[in-house]
């Protein structure tokens, strides 16, 4: 999701078959008002440090959607008894999530460079939210969400 490399169908099929056997990872299609608007994923499930990420693929921008996905990620991850840290990686050019993490007070813990399949280098920022702070962050995030997104976020359902 960092570059526009074409992913072959065989690679998609291999990814899905590996995912079925991997209890530490979960990927979900996000629907809003009956329309698919993106994906949210988790890795490291069952460990102390869960990583989450998302891809918003909706053609129509839905105000507050990213905030809602962050809240869902926190609620889901910290509902698991082993989770102590919720981690995310944000590309340094992705300004809106960076601003949101700063506003919410989610600490930046590192920066690193990753090479893409096309050979370009992209800087990433790692953010880590500790379990003892997640309710404070969720409450702050819910205050900036539009009402309809907030209601959907509070009623989210994860289905495998």
């Amino acid at each position: 999701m960092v570059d526009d490399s074409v992913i072959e169908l065989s690679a998609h099929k291999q990814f899905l078959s590996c995912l079925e056997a991997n209890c530490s990872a979960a990927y979900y299609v996000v629907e809003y008002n009956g329309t698919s608007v993106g994906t949210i994923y988790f890795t490291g499930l069952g460990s102390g440090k869960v990583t989450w990420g998302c891809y918003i693929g909706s053609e129509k921008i839905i105000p507050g959607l990213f905030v809602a996905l962050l809240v869902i990620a926190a609620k889901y991850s910290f509902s698991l008894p082993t989770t102590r840290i919720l981690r995310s990686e944000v590309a340094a050019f992705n300004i809106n999530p960076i601003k949101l993490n700063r506003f919410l007070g989610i600490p930046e813990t590192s920066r690193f460079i990753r090479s893409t399949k096309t050979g370009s280098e992209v800087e990433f920022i790692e953010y880590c939210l500790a379990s003892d702070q997640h309710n404070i962050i969720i409450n702050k995030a819910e205050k900036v969400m539009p009402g309809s997104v907030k209601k959907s976020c509070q009623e989210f359902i994860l289905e495998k």
Side-chain angles (χ1 to χ4, degrees):
M1 289 188 248
V2 181
D3 63 27
D4 58 359
S5 300
V6 175
I7 301 171
E8 299 295 326
L9 180 58
S10 61
H12 278 289
K13 288 180 179 180
Q14 182 181 6
F15 171 78
L16 292 173
S17 58
C18 288
L19 187 58
E20 286 178 347
N22 184 353
C23 297
S24 68
Y27 286 69
Y28 298 95
V29 173
V30 178
E31 292 183 357
Y32 180 71
N33 290 335
T35 302
S36 297
V37 294
T39 61
I40 187 169
Y41 70 87
F42 302 90
T43 59
L45 295 171
S47 72
K49 186 183 274 189
V50 173
T51 299
W52 86 280
C54 67
Y55 172 76
I56 298 175
S58 175
E59 291 179 14
K60 182 182 175 192
I61 295 173
I62 299 167
L65 179 59
F66 179 73
V67 182
L69 293 177
L70 188 149
V71 169
I72 289 168
K75 286 181 176 182
Y76 174 70
S77 298
F78 291 116
S79 74
L80 305 172
T82 55
T83 306
R84 295 182 325 277
I85 299 287
L86 179 60
R87 179 182 173 278
S88 65
E89 298 175 354
V90 178
F93 60 77
N94 204 347
I95 301 301
N96 288 335
I98 292 168
K99 287 180 180 178
L100 180 65
N101 279 302
R102 283 185 192 144
F103 169 77
L104 294 176
I106 301 173
E108 177 182 321
T109 51
S110 71
R111 289 179 177 248
F112 56 92
I113 303 291
R114 186 173 287 149
S115 294
T116 67
K117 289 183 180 181
T118 59
S120 60
E121 292 186 337
V122 177
E123 180 182 18
F124 283 87
I125 304 168
E126 176 189 65
Y127 294 93
C128 289
L129 174 59
S131 61
D132 63 346
Q133 294 294 307
H134 84 279
N135 282 326
I136 295 166
I137 299 302
I138 287 172
N139 290 336
K140 194 171 185 181
E142 286 179 339
K143 290 179 183 174
V144 299
M145 273 191 260
S148 60
V149 172
K150 182 177 180 178
K151 185 175 183 333
S152 295
C153 181
Q154 291 170 336
E155 299 171 355
F156 78 94
I157 300 168
L158 293 177
E159 297 176 353
K160 283 228 175 204

